[in-house]
Amino acid sequence: MKIIDISYLDMVSSTNDYAKDLIYCEISNFGIIISDLQSKGRGKYGNVWISKKGNIFCTIYKEIKNQNCIFQAQFSCLNIVKKYFVNLGINMSYITIKKPNDILIKNKKICGILIESIKKNNKLFLIAGIGINLISNPKIKKYKTVFLNKFVRKKIQKIDFINYLKKNINKI
């Protein structure tokens, strides 16, 4: 079994960009990055991801076989996070996937996923960023948002989610 590199950062511009740097500099090619803050978090189409301290900002990065794996990764990440929410005891009927990259609870955004890829030395790498409103949610005019700890009895810690990702990284 391949060793998963884990990077826990106080602050980073973007966990996805940090993953790219690790790959380009040949420091690591398989792992998970988590940060307490992101100064330039982003979502699909270059939208800003509002990164409030205490929420989850992480990226999974790994080598993949081909372009089809990138398209499958979006679906896999959404389902893995959805399953995590169900495992926490959130009623499955409350959780919906809003294509292409969001998870909603009771029709309010709680999670966004940003899938990217890069090539290095003729190898293709997946960069899968996951943002979850864990302890607070931003106020956004376009749509309603919510945070995870509002729906569970036991307060969830970031490390709980990272451990879950470690167990499921090969499903992405």
Side-chain angles (χ1 to χ4, degrees):
M1 181 177 217
K2 203 169 179 186
I3 295 174
I4 303 169
D5 293 326
I6 306 290
S7 301
Y8 198 112
L9 309 169
D10 292 329
M11 185 170 179
V12 68
S13 61
S14 156
T15 55
N16 274 25
D17 290 344
Y18 191 84
K20 291 176 190 177
D21 290 344
L22 291 175
I23 294 166
Y24 282 135
C25 295
E26 299 181 1
I27 295 169
S28 174
N29 61 12
F30 182 61
I32 300 171
I33 299 160
I34 186 161
S35 183
D36 286 333
L37 281 173
Q38 290 185 120
S39 61
K40 294 181 182 175
R42 65 183 187 284
K44 202 110 172 126
Y45 311 116
N47 290 329
V48 173
W49 179 266
I50 299 170
S51 303
K52 292 190 170 196
K53 188 169 184 167
N55 289 333
I56 294 174
F57 321 110
C58 67
T59 295
I60 295 167
Y61 60 98
K62 67 182 200 171
E63 186 178 343
I64 54 175
K65 293 178 183 176
N66 57 47
Q67 202 70 25
N68 290 335
C69 296
I70 295 167
F71 302 119
Q72 183 61 35
Q74 182 84 30
F75 178 75
S76 298
C77 283
L78 287 165
N79 282 308
I80 285 169
V81 175
K82 181 179 177 180
K83 185 176 178 184
Y84 179 71
F85 293 164
V86 170
N87 290 345
L88 292 174
I90 298 172
N91 187 319
M92 192 175 342
S93 67
Y94 294 169
I95 306 167
T96 54
I97 291 176
K98 181 180 159 267
K99 292 183 179 181
N101 66 323
D102 294 333
I103 297 178
L104 312 177
I105 295 182
K106 291 189 169 184
N107 296 313
K108 297 176 183 176
K109 184 172 178 175
I110 193 163
C111 174
I113 294 175
L114 178 63
I115 301 293
E116 299 179 293
S117 65
I118 61 170
K119 271 192 167 181
K120 172 70 174 168
N121 298 332
N122 291 321
K123 294 178 181 177
L124 185 61
F125 293 90
L126 171 72
I127 314 291
I130 302 170
I132 300 174
N133 298 331
L134 178 64
I135 64 166
S136 65
N137 56 296
K139 305 296 181 224
I140 299 174
K141 291 180 183 178
K142 293 181 188 178
Y143 49 84
K144 295 179 180 179
T145 60
V146 71
F147 61 96
L148 184 60
N149 277 336
K150 181 177 182 175
F151 292 95
V152 292
R153 293 174 196 234
K154 175 188 166 204
K155 296 297 178 199
I156 305 306
Q157 304 296 319
K158 291 180 200 182
I159 195 67
D160 298 330
F161 183 68
I162 296 305
N163 287 332
Y164 176 79
L165 282 181
K166 283 170 43 179
K167 291 177 188 170
N168 289 279
I169 196 167
N170 290 320
K171 295 177 184 174
I172 297 173

